[in-house]
Amino acid sequence: MREWAQYSVDEKGGRATVVVTGPLLVSSIGKIEPDLRAYRDSVQTIDISGAHPIDTVGAWVIHRFAEETGADIVGASEQADVLLEAVEGASSDATISPPRAHSFGDISEKVGIKVIEFFIGVRDMIGFMGAVLMGFGSLLLHPRRFRMKALVRQMELVGVQSLPIIGLMSFLIGIVIAQQGAVQLQQFGAETLTVNLVGRITLRELGVLMTAIMVAGRSGSAFAAQLGTMKLTEEIDAMRTIGVSPMEALIIPRILAAVLLMPLLGFYASVVAIVGGAVIGDVMLGIPFWTFLARVQEVVPVYDFWVGMVKAPMFGLIVAMAGCYQGMQVKGNAEEVGLRTTAAVVQAIFMVIVLDAFFAVFFTEIGWA
């Protein structure tokens, strides 16, 4: 049976003494600690000569009670004296602020913190871009250090292995665009213009945009998770120790793979989406499959294709930079890997959509609308 700490109050000559007996341990102090508070105003002495053994929690309870009452502690053993001195030295006079209700000042403070964190992130991102440029410059001066095998491996991961999911999603997107477009155009007797809709919107916008979003969710997150895990396990520090540049060995191959393959993936996604539209055209609109494809060649201007191809490398650069940057910022614990991976995907998708909007306005202004 567990033995609990006990206490008694001895009043002699107008002086009250609390006599504590039994073990003053974390496992046995629970019942005595709340009861002692009732004697804060009448105790002058605390006798712990019968209290043993004692640990840090027990010493802290007695010390706090003595401070609150102004009482003297007597009868302490050598072990109790050491522990009482330790908890006394660890005590602090700092005030503990209670939880405050949210106010306008709190909101403005949090907004200010977020703004500062944003600009710190922009500064760090610019620094990371500078380090990437320096890495490319170093490889141009010493081309033998370029890791072709690492680039081929990343091209396989970013490009070849993503073909099935990108193809499936693009095919379904083409079906949706054609079906919904045909329903709306039939109201005006212009369902044949579904060919124009599918061809132009996939080659110009959705093919590359949806590819970038899928690559961000698949490869961008993988970049962040891989590099973040390597930082936690100190593999990157080990690479620096043996004279291998993480920028040249890990980051540049990933960036090059995304930049080089994004145009190919975007074109592939556009073609598959057009095929999906042609299937719906054959099934719903009575437009033969091959006639639909031939019509796309006639109604889609060549500059729509080049608009998509110009945007694709930029999207790939954004996705790879976001993933690598967030991965290299991981520190502390495994939870940080998840947070940085999420941040990489969100940041990449946001920047891709913003850049796509900029390109839309730009190409409209130069007459490629």
Side-chain angles (χ1 to χ4, degrees):
M1 180 179 291
R2 178 183 298 177
E3 184 180 359
W4 296 96
Q6 305 291 330
Y7 77 95
S8 61
V9 181
D10 184 12
E11 297 184 4
K12 292 181 180 179
R15 295 177 60 85
T17 300
V18 172
V19 181
V20 181
T21 59
L24 284 175
L25 303 174
V26 64
S27 59
S28 59
I29 200 72
K31 293 185 177 181
I32 188 177
E33 197 270 340
D35 296 340
L36 290 176
R37 298 176 184 175
Y39 300 95
R40 290 178 180 177
D41 301 328
S42 59
V43 176
Q44 285 81 35
T45 306
I46 304 172
D47 185 0
I48 60 172
S49 57
H52 59 82
I54 183 173
D55 63 7
T56 306
V57 175
W60 177 78
V61 169
I62 297 300
H63 171 71
R64 188 179 66 171
F65 181 58
E67 277 194 335
E68 292 175 349
T69 60
D72 298 325
I73 302 175
V74 298
S77 64
E78 181 178 352
Q79 179 192 13
D81 275 334
V82 172
L83 292 175
L84 287 170
E85 289 179 5
V87 297
E88 182 179 1
S91 62
S92 174
D93 297 331
T95 58
I96 301 176
S97 58
R100 295 178 298 172
H102 292 293
S103 63
F104 179 76
D106 296 331
I107 296 175
S108 60
E109 179 183 0
K110 292 179 180 178
V111 171
I113 292 173
K114 292 297 182 183
V115 171
I116 292 173
E117 290 176 349
F118 171 77
F119 282 108
I120 291 175
V122 171
R123 181 201 64 187
D124 294 343
M125 188 66 179
I126 294 174
F128 181 75
M129 292 174 64
V132 171
L133 291 176
M134 291 180 64
F136 274 106
S138 177
L139 288 177
L140 289 176
L141 295 176
H142 306 90
R144 291 186 177 182
R145 297 207 318 239
F146 182 71
R147 297 173 178 267
M148 181 58 69
K149 290 183 179 179
L151 174 61
V152 173
R153 174 59 177 166
Q154 292 304 320
M155 291 177 71
E156 178 188 3
L157 295 175
V158 174
V160 177
Q161 294 187 8
S162 64
L163 289 177
I165 183 63
I166 292 177
L168 176 61
M169 294 297 294
S170 300
F171 183 78
L172 295 176
I173 289 172
I175 289 177
V176 171
I177 294 173
Q179 192 272 333
Q180 292 296 315
V183 170
Q184 298 302 317
L185 292 172
Q186 278 177 348
Q187 301 178 26
F188 308 97
E191 59 270 18
T192 55
L193 293 179
T194 304
V195 179
N196 304 54
L197 176 66
V198 174
R200 298 202 65 180
I201 199 171
T202 53
L203 282 171
R204 186 184 183 96
E205 292 291 341
L206 285 186
V208 176
L209 181 62
M210 296 305 299
T211 299
I213 292 175
M214 285 185 279
V215 170
R218 186 182 180 281
S219 300
S221 60
F223 292 169
Q226 291 164 0
L227 296 176
T229 304
M230 293 181 71
K231 281 210 69 177
L232 283 185
T233 56
E234 299 182 351
E235 293 179 57
I236 291 179
D237 294 334
M239 292 177 65
R240 292 193 179 101
T241 301
I242 63 176
V244 176
S245 170
M247 184 65 65
E248 297 177 4
L250 301 175
I251 296 174
I252 289 180
R254 286 171 167 80
I255 293 176
L256 280 178
V259 171
L260 294 176
L261 285 179
M262 188 62 73
L264 299 178
L265 291 174
F267 178 70
Y268 165 75
S270 300
V271 170
V272 174
I274 291 173
V275 170
V279 171
I280 288 295
D282 195 358
V283 173
M284 291 185 58
L285 305 178
I287 303 175
F289 181 84
W290 296 109
T291 303
F292 189 103
L293 297 182
R295 181 66 177 162
V296 168
Q297 293 179 326
E298 298 175 4
V299 300
V300 177
V302 177
Y303 59 76
D304 277 352
F305 166 78
W306 289 114
V307 166
M309 293 302 100
V310 167
K311 293 189 293 185
M314 301 299 296
F315 291 169
L317 178 64
I318 289 175
V319 170
M321 288 286 290
C324 293
Y325 168 75
Q326 294 294 343
M328 295 298 288
Q329 300 305 306
V330 170
K331 53 187 176 182
N333 50 49
E335 183 181 4
E336 187 78 4
V337 176
L339 294 176
R340 290 292 181 177
T341 301
T342 303
V345 176
V346 173
Q347 188 179 57
I349 293 176
F350 174 77
M351 291 303 298
V352 162
I353 294 175
V354 170
L355 188 62
D356 186 64
F358 167 79
F359 275 123
V361 175
F362 172 76
F363 286 120
T364 301
E365 291 295 324
I366 65 173
W368 282 14

